Amino acid sequence: MSSGLVDAPPSPPSGSHGPARRGRGRWVRWVVVVAVTVVVLIAAGAVAVFARLNGNIKHTDVTAEDLGATRPPKVAGTALNVLIVGSDQRNGKNAKYGRVAGERTDTIMLAHLSSKRDNAMVVSFPRDSLVQLPACRAKNGLPGQQAHLGMINESFNSGGIACTWRTVESLTGIHIDHFVKVDFTGFKSMVDAIGGVQVCLPQAVNDKKALLHLPAGRQNLNGEQALGYVRARYSLGDGSDIGRIQRQQMFIASMVKKVMSGETLTDPAKLLGFLDAGTKAVTTDPGLTPGVMKDLATGLQGLNAGKIRFITTPWHYSLTQPGRVEWVQPQAGKLFQIVAKDRDPGGVKGGQTKVARSKVQIELRNGTYRGGLGTQVAAALEQRGYHITKVGDTARKPYPKTSVFYSPNGETSVPTLTKDLPAVTPRAVSGARTSRLILVIGDDWKGLKPLRADDTEAITGFDATHDTCAAT
């Protein structure tokens, strides 16, 4: 779909994928599927139904010995922190996505429900995060883990869910109460049970690896298409893993709105189908009992989609290990403290602009002869929280000056982006009706402005009412 904002459609990207573009394709981050299920139960008051469906859920025990003697203290009150991981087990119905032995996860998220039950946060941990991993004991045929510097998703391969639980607690200082593991076959069934989920595609998608073929524009994806959409990497956006995380968060936000809408909650058959699919898709610790769910349902009946925020741990690309990311401080630490101490995330205002970076979508075009510059700039903008919808080249070169093209629908987003650019020329374009901004990189490009230490916008995320089709 052409944006109509600049002289001609861009030519295809140069093929340089930057540090985080290397490596084999990764599977879906199923993060908030269980959080969505809980929210539906809350909103619908479906306590009795959940108790009946509890028989669908599988359980895995995590003991005090697994988690170690020194754990973060649990915050006073009834705040709840649930670790959510996505299971990539390619056998049975999943074999068509490629037969690989064993079970992996590169999806690690934490759902936080406040003590007052008036807000919720879902924090994503990028799979390529380079972190200090703790020691974990061998269990269930897995070798265990020695303390070392490595990728955060190694813990699941080495010691299973118990080791991942211990790792996240040691890194964040957040006391985790329960875990949920979600299978992606069940995810497809959940999407189908609510009649699909709407997304917006800035361009047509033809991805053989993700088994996805869709035209540009607004689309209502069924379960199989949704799986392809959240799996796809190189055929959408800028091809980065971080870009895929952002797209998956926006998909789940759209799913949350659909689940919590009257269209779902007032349809008993549709709601029951969603709950049945959801409970069959998950494995939890035995402590996540029907009684706990009943308490949640009773206390969270007033929660609405606008009170659920999706956040990615602030990050930057590693300078010592290409292809890895490291967490940005003090922003990451502040985010973890908000969760650990059950603070209201809405209280974080430092550095915010009128339109949050997380709500600005950018199509990026390289107007210079500097190969790979487009992907480098895309990575830098993603680190600030922007959503990159496409990376390409301008039809003519060179552009002497970096410019931002925008239509009337995108005008309010321009000040947000220009505050991060040292020298840029905003250019209004009539006729187009898109809220996406077109950033054309010129020969004068010298990088983004330095990020201020008090800029905490990266830890505010976006809420579940975020419009995934705002960029049409």
Side-chain angles (χ1 to χ4, degrees):
M1 181 173 62
S2 175
S3 65
L5 293 186
V6 289
D7 51 356
S11 57
S14 63
S16 173
H17 295 294
R21 280 80 171 162
R22 302 188 185 98
R24 65 181 181 86
R26 296 287 179 175
W27 299 93
V28 188
R29 292 165 176 75
W30 301 122
V31 260
V32 285
V33 174
V34 171
V36 171
T37 305
V38 171
V39 169
V40 173
L41 290 168
I42 291 161
V47 178
V49 173
F50 186 83
R52 181 162 62 88
L53 295 175
N54 187 61
N56 291 340
I57 303 176
K58 300 173 286 293
H59 296 286
T60 296
D61 194 30
V62 176
T63 67
E65 185 179 0
D66 292 327
L67 300 179
T70 304
R71 296 183 59 195
K74 181 170 175 57
V75 67
T78 58
L80 197 67
N81 297 313
V82 181
L83 175 67
I84 306 173
V85 301
S87 168
D88 174 11
Q89 190 168 20
R90 281 173 262 173
N91 54 23
K93 294 181 180 180
N94 299 336
K96 65 180 177 179
Y97 302 111
R99 292 183 179 275
V100 179
E103 184 177 17
R104 295 146 301 282
T105 183
D106 56 6
T107 303
I108 305 174
M109 293 191 177
L110 186 72
H112 170 76
L113 305 176
S114 68
S115 293
K116 295 181 180 179
R117 301 298 189 253
D118 57 354
N119 71 79
M121 300 170 65
V122 180
V123 181
S124 299
F125 303 101
R127 69 167 180 86
D128 289 336
S129 296
L130 190 63
V131 295
Q132 187 62 48
L133 301 171
C136 298
R137 70 189 185 111
K139 185 176 182 180
N140 297 332
L142 296 173
Q145 176 173 275
Q146 298 295 321
H148 71 286
L149 183 68
M151 284 174 57
I152 192 171
N153 64 346
E154 290 180 30
S155 293
F156 190 86
N157 300 334
S158 301
I161 188 62
C163 188
T164 300
W165 184 330
R166 184 170 187 166
T167 294
V168 174
E169 283 197 341
S170 70
L171 292 173
T172 65
I174 298 170
H175 181 97
I176 296 173
D177 300 287
H178 303 287
F179 86 85
V180 176
K181 183 178 71 173
V182 186
D183 170 74
F184 65 70
T185 299
F187 168 79
K188 293 191 297 184
S189 299
M190 294 171 76
V191 173
D192 285 332
I194 58 174
V197 174
Q198 188 181 82
V199 300
C200 186
L201 301 176
Q203 63 192 81
V205 178
N206 290 287
D207 191 313
K208 293 181 180 180
K209 289 185 178 181
L211 306 179
L212 185 65
H213 304 279
L214 295 168
R218 291 177 182 266
Q219 307 290 333
N220 191 68
L221 305 187
N222 61 29
E224 191 71 35
Q225 292 169 327
L227 177 60
Y229 178 75
V230 295
R231 283 181 57 217
R233 178 168 174 177
Y234 298 114
S235 60
L236 285 168
D238 67 341
S240 73
D241 189 62
I242 298 297
R244 186 168 57 173
I245 289 177
Q246 295 173 332
R247 187 172 69 254
Q248 290 162 355
Q249 289 178 330
M250 294 176 71
F251 178 87
I252 296 299
S254 185
M255 186 176 178
V256 167
K257 288 192 292 183
K258 181 74 174 285
V259 169
M260 297 184 71
S261 69
E263 178 183 350
T264 301
L265 297 180
T266 60
D267 186 332
K270 183 178 290 187
L271 179 60
L272 183 58
F274 177 80
L275 295 175
D276 186 54
T279 52
K280 287 178 179 177
V282 304
T283 301
T284 75
D285 59 286
L288 200 56
T289 63
V292 173
M293 290 297 175
K294 179 180 178 180
D295 292 341
L296 284 173
T298 301
L300 287 173
Q301 287 178 351
L303 188 68
N304 59 53
K307 293 294 186 179
I308 305 173
R309 303 194 68 83
F310 296 81
I311 304 167
T312 300
T313 302
W315 62 278
H316 62 76
Y317 285 119
S318 173
L319 297 178
T320 59
Q321 294 196 26
R324 304 292 181 253
V325 303
E326 298 169 350
W327 295 348
V328 175
Q329 299 296 348
Q331 285 87 351
K334 290 180 179 179
L335 168 61
F336 301 150
Q337 283 297 298
I338 288 172
V339 176
K341 297 185 178 181
D342 192 28
R343 295 174 180 166
D344 182 357
V348 182
K349 300 297 183 183
Q352 274 196 296
T353 49
K354 184 175 182 180
V355 176
R357 293 184 184 116
S358 62
K359 294 187 177 182
V360 178
Q361 298 193 25
I362 301 170
E363 182 175 335
L364 197 150
R365 302 183 183 185
N366 185 2
T368 78
Y369 289 110
R370 295 154 63 183
L373 181 59
T375 54
Q376 293 174 24
V377 176
L381 290 170
E382 284 176 339
Q383 291 175 24
R384 301 281 174 101
Y386 292 101
H387 289 260
I388 308 301
T389 63
K390 188 177 181 180
V391 178
D393 290 284
T394 55
R396 63 179 178 85
K397 295 186 178 187
Y399 267 75
K401 298 290 186 181
T402 299
S403 303
V404 174
F405 294 85
Y406 64 94
S407 76
N409 289 358
E411 184 174 5
T412 57
S413 296
V414 174
T416 300
L417 178 58
T418 55
K419 283 189 176 181
D420 279 319
L421 305 178
V424 67
T425 302
R427 297 183 180 181
V429 178
S430 60
R433 289 293 181 268
T434 174
S435 62
R436 274 183 290 126
L437 305 181
I438 306 295
L439 174 59
V440 176
I441 307 168
D443 281 338
D444 63 339
W445 179 261
K446 295 181 180 179
L448 301 179
K449 290 180 180 178
L451 189 67
R452 300 190 314 272
D454 63 347
D455 188 342
T456 56
E457 183 190 339
I459 69 177
T460 62
F462 64 91
D463 63 49
T465 60
H466 189 65
D467 185 2
T468 58
C469 280
T472 55

